[in-house]
């Protein structure tokens, strides 16, 4: 046998993660993509994170491919009084989505133009829940953003079913996986997380 490369680190990854990269870049990947997050850089969930029962914040880390799901989430929030949706990471899609949200007169939606990693990790523990709302048939069935939500002590509302993320959430009581990808199911998931995860549960997650 011939050693081609010695690993500098070893970590556990989901089965879907391995299958995805095998399908996308062949059986001999030239790189291993980072899966996880730097938990030590997140602010701790504290008494200041206790909700005031007047305004609750749902946080969504998105990307350029999640714009239509951001709009679905924004419309769902209109059916949940006192809930604000804050979205980061949309990159060049931010300006277009802002125009659509204004045109549809959607309230309590904030799209962040840009946020550095330090500010992001300080802000996230002050939220009330994290949202993974994407293509339910995504080949990546355990999005990396889930680790960021957990590191911030946030229960997760997730719509990707049948994979390791759904099992992780269920086995460890880390949030709610919806039955379908629609506004009604999202409202159900948000309501569940806000009711079932007080400050003590947030600290347990983190």
């Amino acid at each position: 046998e011939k050693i081609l490369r010695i690993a500098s680190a070893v970590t556990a990854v989901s089965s879907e993660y391995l299958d995805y990269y095998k399908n996308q870049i062949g059986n001999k990947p030239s790189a291993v993509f980072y899966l996880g997050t730097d938990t030590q850089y997140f602010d701790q969930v504290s008494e200041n994170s206790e909700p005031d029962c007047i305004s609750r914040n749902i946080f969504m880390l998105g990307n350029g491919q999640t714009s239509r799901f951001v709009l679905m989430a924004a419309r769902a929030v209109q059916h949940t009084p006192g809930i604000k949706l804050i979205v980061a990471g949309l990159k060049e899609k931010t300006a277009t989505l802002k125009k659509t949200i204004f045109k549809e007169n959607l309230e309590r939606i904030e799209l962040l133009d840009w946020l550095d990693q330090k500010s992001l990790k300080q802000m996230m523990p002050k939220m009330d829940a994290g949202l993974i709302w994407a293509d339910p048939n995504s080949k990546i069935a355990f999005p990396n953003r889930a680790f960021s939500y957990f590191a911030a002590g946030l229960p997760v509302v997730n719509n990707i079913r049948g994979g390791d993320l759904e099992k992780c959430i269920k086995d460890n009581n880390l949030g709610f996986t919806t039955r379908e990808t629609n506004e009604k199911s999202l409202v159900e998931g948000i309501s569940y997380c806000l009711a079932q995860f007080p400050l003590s549960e947030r600290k347990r997650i983190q």
Side-chain angles (χ1 to χ4, degrees):
E1 295 183 3
K2 183 179 180 180
I3 298 176
L4 299 178
R5 183 179 298 177
I6 297 176
S8 58
V10 178
T11 186
V13 298
S14 70
S15 58
E16 288 90 353
Y17 181 83
L18 296 176
D19 291 340
Y20 172 78
Y21 285 105
K22 182 182 292 184
N23 293 334
Q24 295 300 309
I25 58 179
N27 292 323
K28 297 179 180 179
S30 59
V32 176
F33 295 84
Y34 182 62
L35 183 67
T37 191
D38 298 312
T39 57
Q40 69 271 27
Y41 297 117
F42 284 82
D43 281 3
Q44 292 295 304
V45 174
S46 66
E47 300 303 324
N48 293 331
S49 304
E50 185 72 69
D52 58 16
C53 298
I54 298 175
S55 178
R56 310 291 295 276
N57 296 315
I58 307 300
F59 188 71
M60 183 177 185
L61 276 172
N63 55 47
Q65 287 73 49
T66 60
S67 56
R68 68 186 179 100
F69 297 100
V70 171
L71 277 176
M72 189 186 301
R75 292 165 184 147
V77 164
Q78 307 309 300
H79 306 294
T80 53
I83 305 299
K84 181 178 181 179
L85 176 66
I86 301 172
V87 186
L90 296 176
K91 300 179 182 178
E92 67 277 0
K93 300 288 186 179
T94 303
T96 301
L97 277 169
K98 282 185 175 181
K99 291 179 181 178
T100 303
I101 287 170
F102 178 80
K103 183 177 180 180
E104 293 190 20
N105 196 29
L106 300 176
E107 300 179 336
R108 293 171 280 113
I109 311 298
E110 181 178 358
L111 304 184
L112 302 177
D113 292 307
W114 183 82
L115 200 64
D116 63 82
Q117 287 296 312
K118 182 178 179 180
S119 298
L120 183 68
K121 291 174 172 61
Q122 291 174 339
M123 182 184 72
M124 285 178 64
K126 298 179 176 66
M127 303 293 106
D128 295 291
L131 181 57
I132 293 179
W133 203 251
D135 184 351
N137 299 313
S138 171
K139 292 181 179 180
I140 299 181
F142 204 126
N144 204 48
R145 74 199 76 162
F147 292 102
S148 296
Y149 291 149
F150 297 148
L154 300 182
V156 170
V157 181
N158 164 56
N159 74 319
I160 301 176
R161 298 187 58 85
D164 286 351
L165 178 56
E166 180 184 12
K167 185 177 187 301
C168 178
I169 289 173
K170 181 179 179 180
D171 290 351
N172 299 284
N173 190 27
L174 298 174
F176 184 91
T177 297
T178 64
R179 291 168 291 183
E180 299 178 32
T181 301
N182 55 41
E183 294 177 27
K184 182 179 178 180
S185 294
L186 179 51
V187 170
E188 180 185 7
I190 291 174
S191 299
Y192 177 88
C193 285
L194 296 184
Q196 299 298 322
F197 292 90
L199 184 62
S200 58
E201 282 294 289
R202 297 273 315 283
K203 289 181 177 179
R204 175 187 64 81
I205 292 173
Q206 192 176 46

